[in-house]
Each structure stands twice: as structure tokens, then as C-alpha cells.
């Protein structure tokens, strides 16, 4: 018996009992549908995280001061300033793989403008920082090296700060704001980034030249840099090389002996991003695992109905055997019937999964992404479920005695 | 005398049912030559059904030998027996055993499906077979749209479509009225004249009249085996009066 006609016979047999076939494959439909929907949500979240990290700047390294240790109590990273202002220049000049370097000093400040006040995070930095962190400007532009050197009182505002101080963002450039009661001229408004990967509002920030910040906001730590250093490299590979290079350079500059630990840390955002990715990946696998279990449950439903079908069609099986069907012909017929049943369920499930994913993204704005590989996997595994759970009923059918099967009422 | 197409020697069949041994056949020998039209008669329990199952390669004898078309088949496995049934034999049953909701043509095609014959040839031969049994205009009808006699004709078309050497008919007229029975017997006689060997099981002496040899069975043995001049079913049909039976 050729495969095509077996498929046709199987499909016809299923169409004769439309309602029953549908209810039988409901388990598979739900199983496959949830696999597709769950993975779509997981993949969407992953893509979202990736986008968020891309916004923060790629190929990025952050160098922080070491931890302070007083009578056995160890502070966190950066609690003991160990980075020097001269380190910034050294990194720029004495490394091969570093393309951009900028200090980043942060402190919470109160800012006044147009009679309103707002508490935000002030950041002291240099012009390269805007490039490293992928900041672009909605109005105006960045401050320059000259401003950093001369400790110019100029500021760049984030979107959230502008919202809270000015009625019209376009009015901000040229206006004067007071940070900790010192007046600054606004020279730029940053284009919005929205929520950062860490969950904070990236636009709730005011940036001033590093020199100005050290003198006016932080109140001077002299040669020590009271913050971190951001470093940009040309590519992901270069980022890893730069990390090693910087570690060697800073250990030398800080005169650390071989047995002493680093008094600074160099961390890469790519690592943080991949850790986040792994988190969502684990979640996706878990959800897909649960969905696969429901696929198995659906398989049991198929086995059940196939056993019923074998009993109902005992006479037909007897007749087929009498006119020349070998046990193998009967077995393949019922296996294919189970596979067709499961695959149709799989296809409907894929449609359901697509529907749910589309609904979630249009109605609730959830990020979803349907991976063709997962669709293929879901369809493949539902066909496999058909084979797996169709084998026993098919085997039972093939073992029937034709004489008794023909007489069966 | 030609070689026998069916040759059973000393067939014994023993069943064990609930610890009781039932001896359905107790040493039966039967030889049928090509073209013969044989009726096997007997009451229920005489062993005629068991005999039919063994002759039809649906069952194997406990002992004895059975040669079909010169080949020993009593020791073959399930798969090989299926092939023999497909190529050498044709079956006609009392209850027709057609696939429901399947057209006459597709029902007739079924044995060829298992013989591995391609679609175009299957359709052509199924049409030819159905024309031969007088149903050339009902190819697309499903069993539910056909009368009992027409259904049995479809079954006969199915039995002859693989050009078998022997047709085995188990009470083929058991579910039909007298007139339709005559029509079916006339069809069998026609097939017999074209050279097919037919073995028919019946308990109706009226039906056995149309065959050329009557084998009477009782208690698992052959009681008598008599050749006869068959009554022509066409003539009987011409003389048939409603209410005769």
C-alpha cells in the first residue's frame, strides 16, 4: 500500500468523525499553541533586553574603584577611591584596543529652573562619554574638552529633567538652571532612551563637565577620581582585549605587588547582558518544558481514541486482512492515522500560538518574536507524539485474527 | 484430468476453548480441479466454516497438508498468507463487508492497493470489474446507496479484480431475497464458465443446486461428495414467479 493513499485513507477516516477528531487533538492544539506562544514571549523578552543593552552602549567597559576596608568591614565596589584622574589619560594613551575613555562621577542633586525644582542624578563626565553610551541630542549639543578643562558651568539635560523644569523642551537650550545653587547654562537636551536595562529612567539625568562636577558638586577629591571610568572599544573581541590591557596597566600604575588583589574592577556590559539573556532563556526553557508536558498529555488522548477506533473498525481490519493486507500494512495505516491526527493538531496549535502572540503584542504591547525553528520543532514533536502514541494501537490492530475480526459485531 | 487447484489432505483442526478441546476437522481430504463450482454444505458445527477458513488461508490446520495452485501453504506465516489471499484468492461474504462511506469503485480498488498496483491501473481495472458484474453505471455509489444484491455484486467485483484462481464465498446469498439470490448465483455461474474455480459454503439445498459438486460435511468429516449437473440459474430466474419461494 503506497504512502499517499494511506494518508488519504487516514485523512478521510478522521473527517468522518470531525467533532471527535477535533476533541482528540485539542490537547495537542493547546500543547503546541502554548509552546509557540510561550517561546514567542520569551524570545521577545530576550530581544527587548538586547535592545536595552544596545541603548546603553555596546563594547563598553566600566572601571570602578576598589572597596574600602576598615577594621574588617568591607565596603562595596567604589567605596574607596583608588582611581586617579591621571588613570583616564593613561588609559587613553597607553592602550591599543581602547578607542574612547570618559570619567563618570555621579551624585544626587537638586536642580532649579523656571521656578520649579527637581531632584535628579548629576553626572560629571567628558565629551567622549556621549559617544560611548550612544547618547544623541534632541536640541543643542554636548560640551567639549575645553569646557572640561576650564570647568565651564554648562549642563546637558535628560528628557525627564526637561519635562519637570520646562514647559517646552525647545526653551531649555540657552536657559539657566541652578544645580546645588550654582548657575549653569543649558547647552543641550538629550534624545530620550527610556527605561534602562537596569530598570531606572535613563533620561532622569543632568550632565556637566567632569572638572566642573569635581569642583562644584562633589567638592574635590584632588588626584582621586570619585566615580568610575567608562571605556569604549571598537568591537566585542577588542572589548575583551581592552579589559586585559587595562587591568595590566592599572595594576602597574597603582603599584600593586603580584600577591595583592586588584584595587579596582573592570566589568563589561556584554557580560551583564548575556547574564540577563541567560535568565530569560532559562525561563523560556521552563515554559516550553511545561508546554511539552501538555503535548504528551495530548498524545495520551490520541492513543485513547486510536484504541477506540481500532475496536470500532475491527470488521474493516478483518476485511482488509482477508483481501491481502499484511500485518505491516495495517500497522502503518493506524500509525499514519495517528500522525495525521497529531500533525493536524500541531498545525492548528501553531495557528493558535501565532494568534495568541499577535493578540498579546497588539493588545498589551508585549514583545513577542516567533522563531521558525520553534514552529518546526513543535510540528516535528507533535508528529513524533503521533508516532509514539499511535504505535501501540496500531500494533494491536495488526495482531487481530482476521477470522474473529470479520465476525466481530 | 488437470492438476487440482485446491488439494487438502487429511486436514485436522483442533481448538482449545476454555480447557475443552474442540476437534473441528477430523481428517478431511478434498481435491478441487480448476473451473469446478463446489458447494460445501452442512449444519452449524459440521466444520464447514473451519474448512472454509483453512481453504481461504485465513487459518492454518493443526495437521495435514494444503496445496493451493500447487504450492504448500499450510505452514506459511501471517504475512505470506496475506499475500496468497491477495494474489490467488477472492472472498465473498454473507454480509458483503464493504467499506462504508466509500464508493463502489474504491471498494473494488482495495485489493489492488495491497497488491501495489498504481492508481490509474487500479481505476481502470475496478471499472472493468464493476462493468462485468453489471454495475458499470454505479461506480460512485456508496454501499448505503445500493441494494443488498448490488452490494454483493460490488463484493464480487472486488473478489475478481485481482484475477484470482479461486473465489471463496461464505453464504453469499444468506442476506438476500430469493430472486436476488438467483441473480447472484447466475453471476457465479458466469464466472465459473470463464474458468474461475468457486467454492461456496451454504446450508440451503436450493442454492447448492446451481453448483457442479456438493460436498456434505458432518462432525468434522466429509459425509458425501457428489458431482451433479448444475441447474442453470438464468433459466430459473426466467421461470421465477413472485411468491414462489
Amino acid at each position: 500500500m503506497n504512502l499517499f493513499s494511506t494518508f488519504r485513507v487516514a485523512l478521510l477516516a478522521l473527517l468522518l468523525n470531525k467533532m471527535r477528531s477535533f476533541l482528540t487533538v485539542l490537547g495537542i492544539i493547546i500543547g503546541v499553541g502554548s509552546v509557540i506562544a510561550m517561546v514567542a514571549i520569551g524570545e521577545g523578552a530576550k530581544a527587548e533586553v538586547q535592545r536595552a543593552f544596545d541603548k546603553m552602549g555596546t563594547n563598553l567597559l566600566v572601571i570602578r574603584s576598589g572597596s574600602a576596608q576598615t577594621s574588617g568591614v568591607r565596603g562595596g565596589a567604589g567605596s574607596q577611591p583608588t582611581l586617579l584622574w591621571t588613570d583616564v589619560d593613561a588609559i587613553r594613551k597607553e592602550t591599543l584596543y581602547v578607542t574612547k575613555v570618559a570619567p563618570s562621577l555621579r551624585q544626587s542633586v537638586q536642580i532649579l529652573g523656571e521656578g520649579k525644582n527637581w531632584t535628579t542624578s548629576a553626572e560629571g563626565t567628558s565629551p567622549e562619554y556621549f559617544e560611548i553610551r550612544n547618547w544623541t541630542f534632541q536640541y543643542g549639543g554636548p560640551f567639549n574638552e575645553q569646557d572640561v578643562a576650564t570647568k565651564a558651568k554648562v549642563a546637558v539635560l535628560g528628557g525627564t529633567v526637561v519635562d519637570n523644569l520646562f514647559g517646552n523642551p525647545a526653551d531649555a537650550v540657552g536657559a539657566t538652571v541652578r544645580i546645588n545653587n550654582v548657575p549653569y547654562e543649558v547647552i543641550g537636551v538629550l534624545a530620550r532612551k527610556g527605561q534602562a536595562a537596569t530598570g531606572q529612567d535613563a533620561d532622569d539625568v543632568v550632565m556637566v563637565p567632569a572638572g566642573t562636577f569635581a569642583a562644584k558638586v562633589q567638592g574635590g577629591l584632588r588626584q582621586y577620581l570619585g566615580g568610575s571610568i567608562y571605556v569604549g572599544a571598537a568591537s566585542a573581541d577588542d572589548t575583551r582585549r581592552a579589559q586585559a590591557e587595562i587591568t595590566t596597566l592599572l595594576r602597574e600604575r597603582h603599584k600593586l605587588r603580584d600577591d595583592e588583589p586588584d584595587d579596582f574592577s573592570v566589568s563589561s556590559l556584554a557580560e551583564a547582558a548575556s547574564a540577563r539573556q541567560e535568565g530569560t532563556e532559562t525561563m523560556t526553557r521552563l515554559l516550553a518544558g511545561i508546554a511539552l508536558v501538555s503535548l504528551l498529555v495530548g498524545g495520551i488522548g490520541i492513543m485513547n481514541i486510536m484504541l477506540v477506533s481500532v475496536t470500532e473498525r475491527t470488521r474493516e481490519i478483518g476485511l482488509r486482512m482477508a483481501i491481502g493486507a499484511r500485518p505491516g500494512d495495517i500497522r502503518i495505516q493506524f500509525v499514519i492515522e495517528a500522525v495525521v491526527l497529531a500533525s493536524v493538531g500541531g498545525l492548528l496549535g501553531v495557528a493558535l500560538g501565532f494568534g495568541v502572540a499577535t493578540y498579546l503584542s497588539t493588545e498589551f504591547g508585549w514583545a513577542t518574536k516567533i522563531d521558525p525553528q520553534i514552529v518546526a520543532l513543535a510540528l516535528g514533536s507533535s508528529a513524533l507524539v503521533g508516532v509514539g502514541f499511535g504505535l501501540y494501537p496500531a500494533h494491536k490492530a495488526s495482531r487481530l485474527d482476521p477470522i474473529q475480526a470479520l465476525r466481530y459485531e | 484430468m488437470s492438476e487440482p487447484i485446491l488439494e487438502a489432505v487429511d486436514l485436522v483442526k483442533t481448538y482449545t476453548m476454555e480447557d475443552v478441546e474442540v476437534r473441528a476437522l477430523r481428517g478431511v481430504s478434498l481435491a478441487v480441479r480448476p473451473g469446478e463450482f463446489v458447494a460445501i454444505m452442512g449444519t452449524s458445527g459440521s466444520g464447514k466454516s473451519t474448512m472454509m477458513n483453512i481453504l481461504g488461508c485465513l487459518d492454518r490446520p493443526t495437521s495435514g497438508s494444503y496445496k493451493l495452485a500447487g504450492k504448500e501453504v499450510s505452514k506459511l506465516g501471517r504475512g505470506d498468507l496475506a499475500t496468497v489471499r491477495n494474489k490467488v484468492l477472492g472472498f465473498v461474504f454473507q454480509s458483503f463487508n464493504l467499506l462504508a462511506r466509500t464508493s463502489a469503485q474504491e471498494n473494488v480498488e482495495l485489493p489492488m492497493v495491497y497488491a501495489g498496483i498504481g492508481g490509474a491501473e487500479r481505476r481502470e481495472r475496478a471499472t472493468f470489474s464493476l462493468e462485468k458484474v453489471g454495475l458499470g453505471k454505479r461506480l460512485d455509489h456508496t454501499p448505503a446507496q445500493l441494494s443488498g444484491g448490488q452490494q454483493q455484486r460490488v463484493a464480487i467485483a472486488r473478489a475478481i479484480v485481482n484475477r484470482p484462481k479461486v473465489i471463496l464465498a461464505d453464504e453469499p446469498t444468506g442476506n438476500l431475497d430469493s430472486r436476488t439470490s438467483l441473480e447472484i448465483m447466475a453471476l457465479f455461474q458466469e464466472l465459473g464458465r470463464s474458468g474461475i474455480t468457486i467454492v461456496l459454503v451454504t446450508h440451503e439445498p436450493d442454492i447448492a443446486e446451481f453448483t457442479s459438486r456438493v460436498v456434505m460435511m458432518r462432525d468434522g468429516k466429509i459425509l458425501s461428495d457428489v458431482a451433479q449437473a448444475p441447474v442453470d440459474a438464468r433459466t430459473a430466474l426466467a421461470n421465477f414467479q413472485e411468491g414462489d419461494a
Side-chain angles (χ1 to χ4, degrees):
Chain A
M1 190 157 184
N2 70 42
L3 272 181
F4 175 72
S5 47
T6 313
F7 268 107
R8 215 177 65 95
V9 168
L11 207 59
L12 287 174
L14 300 176
L15 286 175
L16 289 179
N17 280 308
K18 284 189 200 70
M19 191 61 182
R20 187 168 89 181
S21 301
F22 174 74
L23 289 176
T24 304
V25 297
L26 200 54
I28 299 276
I29 295 175
I30 293 172
V32 169
S34 41
V35 170
I36 301 289
M38 293 301 168
V39 174
I41 293 165
E43 289 290 314
K46 221 167 99 179
E48 191 89 315
V49 169
Q50 185 58 53
R51 238 190 334 271
F53 275 101
D54 284 349
K55 265 192 288 188
M56 282 172 67
T58 44
N59 308 327
L60 182 65
L61 290 171
V62 184
I63 309 166
R64 290 192 178 86
S65 293
S67 62
Q69 189 166 355
T70 7
S71 11
V73 180
R74 298 172 73 200
S79 55
Q80 168 75 33
T82 53
L83 295 175
L84 301 161
W85 283 103
T86 49
D87 287 341
V88 178
D89 275 340
I91 290 170
R92 182 178 291 128
K93 285 175 190 145
E94 293 170 36
T95 54
L96 281 170
Y97 297 105
V98 173
T99 52
K100 295 180 191 76
V101 189
S104 167
L105 317 170
R106 275 176 174 268
Q107 192 168 311
S108 182
V109 295
Q110 192 172 54
I111 178 166
L112 271 84
E114 283 194 346
K116 292 183 201 153
N117 75 82
W118 181 248
T119 301
T120 184
S121 173
E123 195 161 6
T125 188
S126 65
E128 282 173 56
Y129 186 73
F130 298 102
E131 293 167 45
I132 298 172
R133 299 294 305 269
N134 289 347
W135 279 112
T136 52
F137 285 81
Q138 190 185 4
Y139 300 106
F143 39 78
N144 53 33
E145 291 294 345
Q146 182 80 19
D147 295 327
V148 178
T150 59
K151 298 175 185 158
K153 291 191 200 106
V154 290
V156 168
L157 304 185
T160 305
V161 175
V162 172
D163 287 344
N164 284 289
L165 298 181
F166 298 93
N168 182 357
D171 295 342
V173 176
T176 301
V177 292
R178 299 177 83 86
I179 298 169
N180 289 358
N181 229 7
V182 177
Y184 291 79
E185 186 197 350
V186 177
I187 57 165
V189 173
L190 296 166
R192 284 167 201 275
K193 276 190 176 185
Q195 200 181 14
T198 47
Q200 292 142 345
D201 178 2
D203 301 317
D204 193 3
V205 71
V206 51
M207 295 187 189
V208 297
T212 321
F213 187 93
K216 303 288 177 194
V217 181
Q218 216 167 26
L221 279 161
R222 298 189 191 159
Q223 76 266 42
Y224 287 109
L225 186 149
S228 33
I229 302 172
Y230 278 72
V231 170
S235 70
D237 280 345
D238 280 0
T239 311
R240 271 189 293 280
R241 291 189 197 106
Q243 193 166 7
E245 220 175 22
I246 291 165
T247 305
T248 313
L249 177 71
L250 290 184
R251 282 187 68 87
E252 208 172 280
R253 287 184 55 81
H254 296 184
K255 299 186 174 64
L256 296 173
R257 292 193 307 271
D258 285 348
D259 59 335
E260 278 177 305
D262 293 345
D263 62 355
F264 58 90
S265 68
V266 185
S267 56
S268 108
L269 265 186
E271 282 167 14
S274 69
R276 269 289 184 105
Q277 301 274 35
E278 261 165 48
T280 46
E281 202 137 303
T282 309
M283 199 63 192
T284 307
R285 289 215 188 98
L286 196 75
L287 291 172
I290 292 168
L292 276 176
V293 169
S294 67
L295 205 59
L296 284 185
V297 174
I300 295 169
I302 286 189
M303 174 137 84
N304 186 27
I305 218 69
M306 289 309 295
L307 285 172
V308 170
S309 173
V310 167
T311 307
E312 274 182 353
R313 289 156 66 191
T314 299
R315 276 175 73 97
E316 179 195 322
I317 295 164
L319 181 267
R320 286 178 183 272
M321 285 176 160
I323 62 172
R326 294 161 152 266
D329 293 325
I330 299 294
R331 201 178 305 128
I332 198 86
Q333 182 189 342
F334 280 91
V335 166
I336 284 180
E337 225 170 282
V339 168
V340 168
L341 197 60
S343 304
V344 167
L347 281 172
L348 291 175
V350 167
L352 178 75
F354 262 96
V356 169
T358 312
Y359 178 78
L360 286 177
S361 65
T362 53
E363 288 294 309
F364 299 103
W366 287 28
T368 57
K369 191 173 151 222
I370 288 175
D371 185 349
Q373 264 186 315
I374 292 298
V375 173
L377 185 78
L379 285 177
S381 40
S382 50
L384 258 176
V385 162
V387 174
F389 289 90
L391 267 178
Y392 172 66
H395 180 71
K396 221 184 137 190
S398 76
R399 297 307 302 166
L400 285 174
D401 173 19
I403 300 165
Q404 275 162 25
L406 277 167
R407 275 201 217 114
Y408 186 84
E409 293 298 330
Chain B
M1 271 298 185
S2 49
E3 282 292 302
I5 184 93
L6 296 180
E7 190 177 23
V9 179
D10 209 17
L11 292 182
V12 173
K13 181 71 186 179
T14 314
Y15 296 108
T16 312
M17 280 175 124
E18 289 158 13
D19 296 337
V20 183
E21 210 168 71
V22 180
R23 296 174 67 194
L25 292 182
R26 313 175 175 212
V28 176
S29 297
L30 179 71
V32 177
R33 285 181 308 280
E36 273 193 287
F37 190 176
V38 183
I40 297 177
M41 294 192 68
T43 53
S44 67
S46 62
K48 66 179 193 299
S49 293
T50 307
M51 184 69 185
M52 194 65 166
N53 289 338
I54 292 173
L55 293 181
C57 293
L58 291 164
D59 205 353
R60 279 175 295 195
T62 311
S63 71
S65 98
Y66 173 35
K67 277 188 193 164
L68 180 60
K71 192 184 169 201
E72 179 64 48
V73 295
S74 58
K75 303 286 185 288
L76 292 181
R78 282 167 64 94
D80 291 332
L81 283 178
T83 308
V84 170
R85 290 195 296 268
N86 185 249
K87 304 238 186 274
V88 187
L89 301 176
F91 287 89
V92 179
F93 303 96
Q94 179 176 358
S95 50
F96 323 136
N97 276 320
L98 299 175
L99 296 188
R101 288 168 286 203
T102 307
S103 73
Q105 182 161 26
E106 282 179 278
N107 264 294
V108 175
E109 281 185 34
L110 210 53
M112 294 186 282
V113 166
Y114 291 112
I117 294 168
E121 191 187 343
R122 285 210 306 263
R123 272 185 292 284
E124 193 183 311
R125 276 168 63 176
T127 309
F128 179 74
S129 263
L130 281 162
E131 279 166 358
K132 214 167 167 182
V133 300
L135 288 176
K137 291 196 172 92
R138 295 199 155 70
L139 303 178
D140 300 331
H141 288 47
T142 62
Q145 295 168 312
L146 295 169
S147 70
Q150 287 169 331
Q151 289 187 51
Q152 196 60 299
R153 281 167 189 272
V154 174
I156 292 169
R158 182 179 64 193
I160 61 173
V161 79
N162 260 357
R163 299 167 189 144
K165 297 204 162 59
V166 181
I167 289 180
L168 296 165
D170 190 357
E171 304 269 10
T173 58
N175 282 5
L176 301 174
D177 61 41
S178 305
R179 190 187 169 83
T180 316
S181 296
L182 287 180
E183 287 171 5
I184 294 297
M185 291 313 290
L187 182 55
F188 276 130
Q189 286 186 337
E190 210 176 293
L191 293 173
R193 276 195 289 277
S194 70
I196 296 179
T197 310
I198 303 167
V199 178
L200 173 147
V201 165
T202 183
H203 61 267
E204 292 172 82
D206 296 359
I207 293 300
E209 277 181 0
F210 301 108
T211 65
S212 60
R213 180 178 169 191
V214 178
V215 176
M216 187 71 77
M217 290 188 70
R218 186 183 287 171
D219 298 330
K221 286 184 171 172
I222 292 179
L223 195 67
S224 64
D225 184 346
V226 183
Q228 64 181 27
V231 173
D232 184 44
R234 283 267 155 242
T235 319
L237 199 55
N239 298 333
F240 186 82
Q241 303 289 318
E242 295 296 334
D244 246 19

